[in-house]
Amino acid sequence: MAESANLPALLDRLRRQTVKGVSVYFCVNNEEGSPLQADNEKCLQLLERTEGLSVTVIDRCSPGQGWTGKKRGVGWARKLLFDRIAAEREADELVVSLDADTDFDDDYLEAVLATMNARLDCCAFGVPYFHPLEADEAVCRALLRYECYMRRYLIQLLRIGSPYAFTALGSAMVFPVWAYRRVGGITPLQGGEDFYLMQKFAKTGTLTACFIPPYDSRPMTVRPQGRPSARVPFGTGPAIAKGVETMQESYPFYADEGFAAVKATYDLFDALYEGDRETPMSPFLRRQLATDDLWSPLRKNFKSRSLFVKACAERVDGLRILQYLKNTPAYRLPDNAMGVDFLHDPLERLEDYRQLLFREEMALRHSHSNRPSRDTQ
């Protein structure tokens, strides 16, 4: 959407990939009658003239082709793309999801292919990412604050061994066609569609979190632009647009004790197969699910212990974990608890903190990816 300035660099990067024979699908989209249509027409012209790549274009921007009604936005764009690919390609081919403003190394697709071939039991890969800093200082501060929130959240999930330890970015998802078909495709939401798709994958299989050697030694990342945006209701763009001052409410840092409570709840799933008992999350779950009978319906429907434990983990999923933390005031930390001041500290100090979190995250990702899958445990 309105990416004519970024599209030439993306096409050049795709042409330079060490893996050849790649098919590239684009959905150029806007609402019917949108002022963005002129820029999108430039995108269509660029794609029509593209050489050296196999390009398929879904046109949802030309007059009469733009979004109307409720079926609109990034969720529907991704759905059209992924569904088209799932219908046309072989089951074992890989879908590498990108946005037009994303940069990556020339051997990125080679690394993705090698990683997924080495882990054929995995149904998705949440690729490591890193947002380049922009020239505008206010944007940089907001970007660093939001990215540090996401990184610390993932670190805490990785520490407790959560099956939902992933960061969902539409520009950093990889999955085989068979896995996409198995989960019934993507739900076309106005925002967060990438999170819910990754959560579907986590519920039906095992995710990988890191590239295999030697690609993990750099470390390799995708690099989406971090820019203010109002195209979706939440996520990186809207968070940056609102600025640092608003993030404490919407994207708070959480205390380690909150994640310890989540882990303690998961650790009790096995015992819950024998009978009800209180877990740290039980009061929240009773309110959230509007029932006092949290576990007996699962015991009734899932007769084996392993299936019951899996059903519990699907009930207390990534969304429930986030809701639990958000709705427990004691777990919400002020920004100054991180030891940095995102409003006033020099950008170099904030960048140092991001790099610290990034190194810890990558070490934990590598450890998490090397654990046995749930199918073999």
Side-chain angles (χ1 to χ4, degrees):
M1 181 184 287
E3 296 284 6
S4 64
N6 289 315
L7 198 50
L10 175 64
L11 292 168
D12 182 59
R13 183 65 76 186
L14 289 167
R15 276 190 289 263
R16 287 160 52 187
Q17 289 300 295
T18 54
V19 169
K20 304 303 180 183
V22 174
S23 298
V24 190
Y25 288 71
F26 292 88
C27 180
V28 186
N29 67 104
N30 54 243
E31 294 184 16
E32 187 69 23
S34 168
L36 300 178
Q37 183 178 318
D39 189 281
N40 280 340
E41 288 175 354
K42 293 181 183 178
C43 293
L44 292 178
Q45 293 166 9
L46 280 167
L47 294 172
E48 288 172 0
R49 298 195 302 266
T50 296
E51 297 180 351
L53 288 172
S54 172
V55 171
T56 299
V57 178
I58 299 176
D59 178 1
R60 294 310 304 262
C61 68
S62 297
Q65 300 297 321
W67 306 120
T68 59
K70 294 182 179 180
K71 295 182 178 181
R72 65 179 68 201
V74 64
W76 276 99
R78 292 201 200 281
K79 178 175 174 57
L80 288 176
L81 285 167
F82 296 161
D83 286 0
R84 175 82 169 267
I85 292 167
E88 294 182 355
R89 314 305 301 195
E90 298 297 325
D92 60 352
E93 290 189 81
L94 290 178
V95 181
V96 181
S97 181
L98 293 169
D99 290 335
D101 66 351
T102 307
D103 188 28
F104 41 91
D105 292 349
D106 290 350
D107 58 348
Y108 172 59
L109 295 181
E110 177 185 324
V112 164
L113 185 61
T115 297
M116 296 301 285
N117 278 340
R119 295 170 175 157
L120 295 177
D121 61 321
C122 290
C123 60
F125 182 9
V127 179
Y129 68 95
F130 202 87
H131 291 102
L133 294 180
E134 303 293 325
D136 185 282
E137 181 174 334
V139 170
C140 288
R141 289 183 180 278
L143 173 59
L144 287 167
R145 169 61 177 78
Y146 182 72
E147 188 174 315
C148 287
Y149 155 78
M150 291 198 297
R151 292 200 184 283
R152 192 168 187 276
Y153 191 85
L154 177 57
I155 285 169
Q156 290 166 304
L157 288 176
L158 289 167
R159 283 175 180 167
I160 65 172
S162 171
Y164 303 103
F166 59 81
T167 298
L169 293 177
S171 55
M173 299 188 300
V174 177
F175 49 88
V177 169
W178 63 258
Y180 183 77
R181 292 172 179 167
R182 186 171 70 177
V183 300
I186 191 170
T187 303
L189 303 171
Q190 293 294 318
E193 76 293 333
D194 40 14
F195 169 82
Y196 288 104
L197 179 59
M198 289 294 287
Q199 181 165 265
K200 282 184 178 182
F201 291 139
K203 289 183 176 183
T204 57
T206 302
L207 307 184
T208 188
C210 201
F211 289 100
I212 62 167
Y215 303 103
D216 64 340
S217 60
R218 276 174 246 175
M220 183 173 287
T221 61
V222 292
R223 300 177 290 275
Q225 290 181 18
R227 51 184 177 171
S229 172
R231 295 179 179 181
V232 292
F234 53 86
T236 306
I240 294 172
K242 291 179 180 179
V244 174
E245 297 88 343
T246 67
M247 290 194 197
Q248 176 63 41
E249 178 59 32
S250 300
Y251 306 103
F253 294 106
Y254 295 107
D256 291 344
E257 290 79 5
F259 292 87
V262 173
K263 185 178 187 304
T265 298
Y266 268 65
D267 289 345
L268 286 169
F269 288 162
D270 189 73
L272 285 168
Y273 184 68
E274 305 295 342
D276 284 354
R277 62 180 64 198
E278 195 72 359
T279 78
M281 293 181 69
S282 290
F284 160 79
L285 292 171
R286 284 192 286 266
R287 294 192 305 270
Q288 193 70 25
L289 301 173
T291 180
D292 290 330
D293 191 5
L294 295 173
W295 314 112
S296 67
L298 298 183
R299 283 193 294 269
K300 179 179 179 181
N301 292 324
F302 300 94
K303 299 302 184 181
S304 74
R305 186 183 298 271
S306 61
L307 288 176
F308 171 80
V309 170
K310 186 176 185 295
C312 291
E314 290 185 14
R315 167 164 279 195
V316 187
D317 59 17
L319 177 62
R320 292 281 179 257
I321 292 170
L322 178 59
Q323 290 172 334
Y324 169 66
L325 296 167
K326 267 197 166 184
N327 288 279
T328 308
Y331 297 149
R332 298 165 66 100
L333 298 176
D335 279 11
N336 58 18
M338 300 300 103
V340 290
D341 184 339
F342 288 94
L343 271 175
H344 302 108
D345 277 352
L347 286 178
E348 292 79 6
R349 177 169 170 74
L350 303 182
E351 173 63 7
D352 286 346
Y353 182 59
R354 173 169 72 158
Q355 291 285 352
L356 177 69
L357 293 177
F358 179 70
R359 289 191 295 271
E360 182 176 1
E361 176 190 323
M362 294 308 297
L364 287 167
R365 276 177 176 261
H366 186 73
S367 174
H368 193 272
S369 287
N370 287 333
R371 293 186 312 161
S373 72
R374 284 181 290 165
D375 294 336
T376 59
Q377 284 178 342

